[in-house]
Amino acid sequence: MQTAATAAPSVGESPVALATQPAAAPLLIGVPKETAPGEKRVATVPEAVVKLVKLGFAVAVESGAGAAANFADDTYREAGAQVVTDAAQLWSRADIVFKVRPPTPQEVGMLRRGATLIGFIWPAQNPELMQQLAGRGVTVLAIDSLPRQLSRAQKMDALTSMAGVSGYRAVIEAANAFGRFFNGQVTAAGKIPPARVFIAGAGVAGLAAIGTAANLGAIVRANDTRAEVADQVVSLGGEFVKVDYEEEGSGGGGYAKVMSEGFQQAQREMYAREAKDADIIITTALIPGKPAPKLITAEMVRSMKPGSVIVDMAAEQGGNCELTEPGQAVVKHGVTIVGYTDLVSRLAKQSSTLYSNNLLRLAEELCKAKNGRIDVNMDDDAIRGLTVIKDGNITWPPPPPKIPAAAAKPKSAAPVAAPKGHGHGASEPMAAKSLAIVFGVGALLFLLVGLYAPATFLSHFVVFVLACFIGYMVIWNVTPSLHTPLMSVTNAISSIIAIGALIQVAPPLSGAGADRPSQLILGLAVFALALTAVNMFGGFAVTRRMLAMFRK
């Protein structure tokens, strides 16, 4: 259990000293302003601050930390946070620091010894940063190291949250650089064909891009090394393009793996064909801890139509296109190549809100007692995966998470054999002797009814028996394609009830023996007719509403 020796800073803009509190005081969460160029996100939004305070924490935010994401200092104060202007004071006094980007060496130097840092760290790409943080004796939880294969960890999965935002923004940037509409149109001035979009990589970012481009009316084609995502591509309105080479591409944890040279050669040939036809290419391929694979060569770029667009979402890791310039949008061979590394920051308010919710869920896992104290439980697979440094000791990479094995199915008991000569289960026809007994008993019952039942009952009984036969044939011959199978059966039954009720309600036929039913029978018939009408018309209304949910 972590202890605290400090409390929250005083309210206001002046860099006043933070008062020392007793050891039992709640931990202080510090939210500094991001200093990376172009970074507009903030680690915590006012809505999350309210919930952090309810967990027992004190929260301090550096002045202007949320300004680029349209969160003013006053909104943080109203949510219960304290605003300070001195960044060094915030870093040195905070027990827990919420960050977006990895800290700079200067920020590491301001970090209080024994504190806890939570944010994106990328330990495989930043070994020097890991050594600096370990030297400060801190605990570091890298949100990018979350074991994503754990279902309970999804609420803390900031990589998925940010990838969804970046995939959407990539399509918007492509539309901005493209010279015409995404959707096809036929106007008096001429016909406009729909844009053809090819997306390399159908992970979270790729799927978000597929859905966005398809909703804008483009013809979307996509490829991924993991064949299992094909159904997801199709469900979002895209067409999955398969590489003519059989090899499993899943690397575990929701990521792809490095493929064999044979697969890569077949993939390059497929990309070369797609590049000639595509108006827009969006690349999303990344492998953890490795440079981005080069998927789009300079020769492919030269083969594209003038005015085409490439959005390289892997630009920060070197790019999937050979001609990408990270952080820039350039035009080469008549093709606009967008290599922005701040796609998520271009939707700063949305991405900050999602990211702060991920950190809030992590805080709830660390502070289950809701007493403003955290417990970095290394026996918890999710927390263990996140923890890359514990009290100054580097604990990355973590051991594989212990995913519980599927429970073994109990052995089914051996079926009990039916007595010989008496078996009439679903798989065997009824024995001739048993069938004769059943029909004999039925005939005897009918004989007794015919001999002793009143004449009026007998006529109704005959109608009832005939209705059973006719109803059976009607119910099981209704075509389910007319509507749902359940509605088919219920409407058939309702129709039989309605016919019977109408016969009872109708005026009696003139002539001998035409007796009008009693008032009780009439009342029941009218009541049954009303309920049947409600069931039939209401069922069709509900069916129409259900079908409308699947229409655009």
Side-chain angles (χ1 to χ4, degrees):
M1 182 75 71
Q2 186 172 343
T3 59
T6 61
S10 58
V11 178
E13 304 285 15
S14 59
V16 296
L18 302 177
T20 302
Q21 293 287 338
L27 298 183
L28 172 65
I29 296 177
V31 184
K33 184 177 181 180
E34 298 296 323
T35 57
E39 183 56 70
K40 299 178 181 179
R41 288 173 291 176
V42 62
T44 298
V45 302
E47 182 181 353
V49 168
V50 174
K51 298 175 182 178
L52 289 171
V53 172
K54 289 182 179 179
L55 287 175
F57 296 106
V59 181
V61 180
E62 183 181 351
S63 179
N70 295 318
F71 295 110
D73 291 346
D74 288 340
T75 61
Y76 284 102
R77 291 193 185 94
E78 293 170 1
Q82 303 181 46
V83 179
V84 293
T85 57
D86 190 347
Q89 187 183 55
L90 183 69
W91 279 92
S92 62
R93 297 300 184 183
D95 301 296
I96 306 169
V97 176
F98 281 1
K99 276 276 290 169
V100 179
R101 293 273 186 168
T104 63
Q106 293 76 14
E107 290 172 331
V108 173
M110 295 186 292
L111 188 60
R112 185 178 67 81
R113 290 188 174 274
T116 298
L117 173 66
I118 302 175
F120 285 104
I121 303 298
W122 307 108
Q125 291 93 329
N126 297 303
E128 294 182 1
L129 174 62
M130 291 286 287
Q131 293 296 332
Q132 294 172 0
L133 290 169
R136 297 292 296 177
V138 299
T139 296
V140 179
L141 275 67
I143 201 70
D144 49 272
S145 297
L146 180 76
R148 304 170 75 185
Q149 60 268 45
L150 298 177
S151 58
R152 57 179 291 265
Q154 293 177 1
K155 61 185 178 182
M156 302 177 279
D157 190 357
L159 284 175
T160 295
S161 300
M162 299 300 100
V165 175
S166 61
Y168 171 86
R169 185 68 192 196
V171 176
I172 302 303
E173 294 294 339
N176 180 59
F178 192 46
R180 54 183 173 85
F181 302 137
F182 265 44
N183 63 319
Q185 295 186 14
V186 178
T187 68
K191 181 180 179 181
I192 302 173
R196 302 181 66 88
V197 179
F198 178 72
I199 296 175
V204 176
L207 291 173
I210 291 168
T212 305
N215 287 336
L216 289 174
I219 298 174
V220 184
R221 293 164 63 86
N223 167 261
D224 196 278
T225 58
R226 297 160 293 185
E228 62 268 19
V229 304
D231 291 339
Q232 301 176 43
V233 171
V234 173
S235 68
L236 290 170
E239 177 186 351
F240 188 77
V241 183
K242 193 174 184 299
V243 177
D244 190 16
Y245 194 99
E246 295 296 331
E247 183 177 348
E248 173 56 42
S250 179
Y255 297 100
K257 71 174 185 180
V258 178
M259 307 301 287
S260 67
E261 180 56 36
F263 182 93
Q264 293 182 33
Q265 178 61 34
Q267 187 182 53
R268 284 192 290 269
E269 293 174 359
M270 183 269 291
Y271 282 159
R273 293 193 301 269
E274 293 295 328
K276 294 178 182 178
D277 295 333
D279 297 308
I280 295 169
I281 295 179
I282 298 175
T283 64
T284 70
L286 280 175
I287 298 173
K290 297 181 180 294
K294 300 300 181 185
L295 304 179
I296 308 299
T297 64
E299 183 61 32
M300 295 179 193
V301 175
R302 281 191 288 269
S303 71
M304 296 180 70
K305 292 171 286 189
S308 299
V309 178
I310 296 175
V311 179
D312 194 341
M313 295 181 61
E316 193 167 6
Q317 302 300 325
N320 296 136
C321 177
E322 285 184 348
L323 303 182
T324 296
E325 295 184 14
Q328 303 293 324
V330 296
V331 178
K332 296 183 179 181
H333 307 296
V335 178
T336 302
I337 304 174
V338 179
Y340 295 148
T341 58
D342 61 344
L343 290 173
V344 179
S345 282
R346 289 171 181 253
L347 289 170
K349 186 166 187 176
Q350 180 70 75
S351 54
S352 296
T353 301
L354 293 175
Y355 182 67
S356 66
N357 285 337
N358 294 137
L359 296 192
L360 172 64
R361 300 310 172 198
L362 174 57
E364 291 174 344
E365 289 292 317
L366 296 172
C367 182
K368 294 183 178 180
K370 299 182 180 181
N371 59 355
R373 323 288 295 173
I374 66 172
D375 178 19
V376 182
N377 181 11
M378 300 295 276
D379 294 327
D380 185 317
D381 281 345
I383 303 303
R384 175 63 187 89
L386 285 168
T387 307
V388 296
I389 299 176
K390 181 70 164 66
D391 298 328
N393 299 313
I394 296 178
T395 58
W396 185 86
K402 299 183 290 292
I403 301 177
K409 295 183 178 179
K411 294 182 179 180
S412 57
V416 180
K420 195 171 183 178
H422 294 80
H424 50 273
S427 60
E428 295 183 5
M430 185 181 296
K433 184 178 179 181
S434 301
L435 187 62
I437 292 174
V438 171
F439 273 98
V441 172
L444 180 61
L445 291 176
F446 277 106
L447 178 62
L448 293 175
V449 170
L451 290 176
Y452 298 103
T456 54
F457 174 82
L458 189 60
S459 63
H460 287 296
F461 183 72
V462 172
V463 172
F464 171 75
V465 173
L466 292 175
C468 288
F469 282 107
I470 296 172
Y472 176 83
M473 298 303 296
V474 169
I475 289 171
W476 296 112
N477 283 281
V478 172
T479 304
S481 60
L482 295 177
H483 35 72
T484 64
L486 178 61
M487 287 295 299
S488 300
V489 175
T490 56
N491 282 343
I493 295 173
S494 299
S495 299
I496 297 171
I497 296 173
I499 292 172
L502 287 172
I503 292 174
Q504 295 297 331
V505 173
L509 298 174
S510 60
D515 298 328
R516 189 174 186 85
S518 65
Q519 295 297 322
L520 176 61
I521 297 298
L522 284 174
L524 290 176
V526 172
F527 183 66
L529 192 60
L531 290 182
T532 302
V534 171
N535 180 62
M536 294 177 66
F537 290 105
F540 278 110
V542 171
T543 302
R544 286 172 60 88
R545 292 185 62 181
M546 291 175 62
L547 293 175
M549 295 172 61
F550 296 95
R551 297 193 186 101
K552 289 186 178 181

